[in-house]
Structure formats: C-alpha cells, structure tokens
Amino acid sequence: MTEQNIQPWDLDWPRALGGAAIRADFRSVPEDFVVDELAAPEPGEGEHVLLQIKKRGANTAYVAQQLAQLAGVQSRDVGYFGLKDRHAVTTQWFSVWLAQKPEPQWRQLDSDEITVLQHFRGPRKLRRGEHLGNRFQIRLRNVSGDRDAAEGVLRRVPEGVPNYFGEQRFGLGGGNLDLVNQLAGEQESGKRRRTPRNQKAFAMSAARSWLFNQVLASRVSQGNWQQILEGEPEDSGSGPLWGRGRNPAADAQLALEEAAMAPWKDWRDWLEHCGLSQERRMLVLKPQGFQADWEGEDLTLSFALPPGTFATAVLREVAELANVSTSAIK
C-alpha cells in the first residue's frame, strides 16, 4: 500500500466559490430534505407494475424489500431509477415484475414511512439512472456566519459547482474505502477471498469516485476546473472514472490526471482487474432552477440535478453543515 492510503480519510475537498461563509443545521427533520424524482413512466401493458411511492425516514432498499415481500417475488424483480436518502421525504418510482402472479393490494404498504401514490402496469423493469433527474428542496436551519458573503456564493452557484461525488459514496467513516484498501492489497499480494457481490460493487464505486474526486480537487486547487485543458477528450471539462483501457486524455490533461492519481496505482490496477472500462464524468455541475430563500435564520434551497450527481456538492459550497440526523439515524 502507498503511504497515502491510510485513515482517517480526508473527505473535505477544496471548495471553488470562495469557501462556505455560513454554518447551518442539516436534516433536523426528514421534511428538511425533500427529493422528487423527475420521471413520468406511462401506463401500458405488461408483466411489470410501476408504483410511485412517497417515503419518509426509509431508504430505497427497505421499500424495495417491502414491495418484494408483499408481491411474493425475489428482490431482483424490483427495479428503481436510483437510491434516495433515508433521512428525507422522497418521491420515487419502483417496478415489480409479477409475471403471472396475482397483483397484491399495494395499499397494504401504506404506513408512517411509505405511501403508495399511484400504480399501473408497464412493459419493463425500471433501471438505474434512466430518469431525468431529481428536484431538491432543502431547508438549512439556524444559519450563522457572514450572510452577505453567502449571498455572493449563492449568486454564483447557477454558473456551476465542482461535480464531486458525495461523502455517502464512501461509506460511514470511509468504510467503503477501507474495503478498497483490503481488496486491492489482497490482489497485490496474490491473496484471493470471496467477497459478497454487493460489497465488491460498493468498493468499486467508491474507488472510482475517490480517484475522480482527487483529479477534480487538483483542478479546483489550480483554478482550472471550468476550463478545457490541452488534451481534453470531451467537448467540456471531464475527469476519469477509472477502468480497463487507455486513458483518453492527452498532453496537459493527461499529465494532471496522472499526477493526481499517482498515489493510488494499486487501486487503479485493482479496478482494471475487476473488468470495468474507462469512462468520463463532467467536472462542472450546474443546478437547474436554483432558488435561495431566507426565512429568519433558515435558508431554503431549491434546484434540480441530473442522475448520478449529489446535492451535497451544491450544499458544501454554500455552508458548513452540522448533520443533525447522524445521531438519530445510522
């Protein structure tokens, strides 16, 4: 292992818009974090049932499990567009493949945590990332600090923020990164052990996200994260999602990326052996329909983001957050 691959993991990547000028409480109650999936499946015919569900204080996997149990199907027969936060109020779509099974009474799921809003038949399973995105309404409470400076940051947010992967990608206390270290180290030493498929998937995702964030952090520190460097393989600024194959970047872009990822060669080797292919991710995240409204000491932010991006990438530019939910949930 390289010396850099040690705990504690530093997840505080550099900010780009001048630094967070205010502090605030985050997720005091689930209603402070509202997420609505931007998707509109159309009714049709088929062996799948599509359900729009509103959940409060429940994660996506739990709702999917409840759907599978009620329908008498395997968990793999339940689909959804993406994972949604637990300590939040979220609206999202699920699909359940019934085949020839009778359709249950879906309203039996209704509880303080789950509300079935509508359901109808459809032709296929919902797949991750196939929706248009998510709309957020986030209330930050007990704001303190330099409000004038915060206003300056808020005015710049619509122009774009660094498209970091959120801390939740890396697990509690960086636990997913610890697993990457373990698996990459075993490969390097020639040791092999069976790892549950879901754990390995979390580790692969965390490793790719970590490497991307290192490149983006380097670009932010150098002040060129919104620029097109010589050797950029995309029409707009991008960074690597590591895997098998040649890095398509060249010249200055390639040199910067190689330098940022140099301490993590064993991780890159492991990802290549996992069979993942090289991909790219945009460096700049532009929230759509961004609004900021003050109410006393509280600040409410509203915006929409595309699939695979994180609201925390926006929030971290605005405020230092005290995640009140940490002691209450997980």
Side-chain angles (χ1 to χ4, degrees):
M1 281 302 125
T2 56
E3 292 183 359
Q4 287 84 350
N5 295 12
I6 58 175
Q7 297 188 56
W9 300 101
D10 183 7
L11 304 180
D12 188 22
W13 295 286
R15 292 171 171 80
L17 304 186
I22 55 176
R23 294 165 296 281
D25 291 340
F26 181 45
R27 301 180 193 258
S28 299
V29 295
E31 287 74 14
D32 286 350
F33 196 84
V34 177
V35 188
D36 293 315
E37 210 166 54
L38 299 178
E42 295 183 359
E45 298 180 356
E47 296 182 338
H48 297 266
V49 176
L50 307 182
L51 302 101
Q52 187 184 38
I53 289 178
K54 184 176 182 179
K55 62 184 185 64
R56 180 186 188 275
N59 62 34
T60 300
Y62 171 77
V63 176
Q65 181 185 43
Q66 298 304 303
L67 287 167
Q69 290 179 356
L70 179 61
V73 301
Q74 300 295 317
S75 58
R76 63 175 177 269
D77 297 326
V78 179
Y80 43 82
F81 290 130
L83 299 174
K84 299 294 186 292
D85 295 82
R86 178 181 180 183
H87 195 72
V89 176
T90 69
T91 301
Q92 70 177 115
W93 287 90
F94 293 83
S95 66
V96 180
W97 181 47
L98 291 179
Q100 303 303 317
K101 292 179 178 293
E103 187 168 346
Q105 295 295 319
W106 299 111
R107 297 291 178 182
Q108 294 181 45
L109 291 172
D110 286 355
S111 65
D112 292 339
E113 296 179 318
I114 299 173
T115 303
V116 178
L117 300 178
Q118 60 175 315
H119 61 88
F120 45 77
R121 289 279 177 162
R124 65 185 185 91
K125 182 179 182 179
L126 301 183
R127 303 290 181 181
R128 297 282 291 272
E130 290 184 344
H131 59 309
L132 298 175
N134 302 288
R135 173 161 290 282
F136 298 86
Q137 182 172 302
I138 301 170
R139 189 178 188 93
L140 305 180
R141 297 181 182 269
N142 304 318
V143 175
S144 61
D146 189 339
R147 186 174 294 195
D148 290 337
E151 285 288 352
V153 173
L154 292 169
R155 283 192 293 270
R156 295 178 62 191
V157 167
E159 301 172 5
V161 301
N163 192 20
Y164 288 119
F165 284 97
E167 293 183 12
Q168 57 267 49
R169 178 59 60 92
F170 307 108
L172 186 62
N176 292 341
L177 299 174
D178 294 333
L179 180 58
V180 175
N181 257 350
Q182 181 178 338
L183 295 175
E186 289 174 354
Q187 176 177 280
E188 190 176 25
S189 64
K191 298 179 181 179
R192 295 298 174 97
R193 69 181 180 96
R194 290 185 62 86
T195 304
R197 181 179 299 179
N198 65 328
Q199 290 186 21
K200 186 175 181 180
F202 285 140
M204 289 189 295
S205 179
R208 293 181 107 191
S209 302
W210 177 264
L211 293 173
F212 174 87
N213 277 12
Q214 303 313 303
V215 171
L216 178 52
S218 179
R219 298 280 299 260
V220 172
S221 295
Q222 295 180 28
N224 58 23
W225 64 285
Q226 292 178 302
Q227 301 173 14
I228 304 297
L229 300 184
E230 183 181 0
E232 168 62 60
E234 303 283 346
D235 293 335
S236 56
S238 67
L241 296 176
W242 199 257
R244 184 177 297 172
R246 183 180 64 85
N247 187 344
D251 302 324
Q253 176 94 354
L254 178 61
L256 185 151
E257 293 182 2
E258 288 294 327
M261 295 186 293
W264 317 97
K265 183 179 183 304
D266 50 341
W267 286 25
R268 288 188 286 166
D269 291 343
W270 175 72
L271 285 169
E272 292 170 19
H273 278 85
C274 289
L276 297 174
S277 299
Q278 290 272 340
E279 297 179 83
R280 305 290 292 183
R281 174 181 170 92
M282 296 298 100
L283 298 178
V284 180
L285 174 61
K286 293 186 177 182
Q288 299 300 306
F290 183 81
Q291 292 185 328
D293 299 297
W294 294 92
E295 185 178 340
E297 296 183 349
D298 295 352
L299 172 62
T300 298
L301 304 178
S302 302
F303 52 89
L305 298 177
T309 59
F310 292 78
T312 50
V314 178
L315 298 179
R316 69 189 308 276
E317 294 293 329
V318 176
E320 292 279 359
L321 302 176
N323 193 344
V324 180
S325 71
T326 301
S327 60
I329 295 181
K330 290 189 176 180

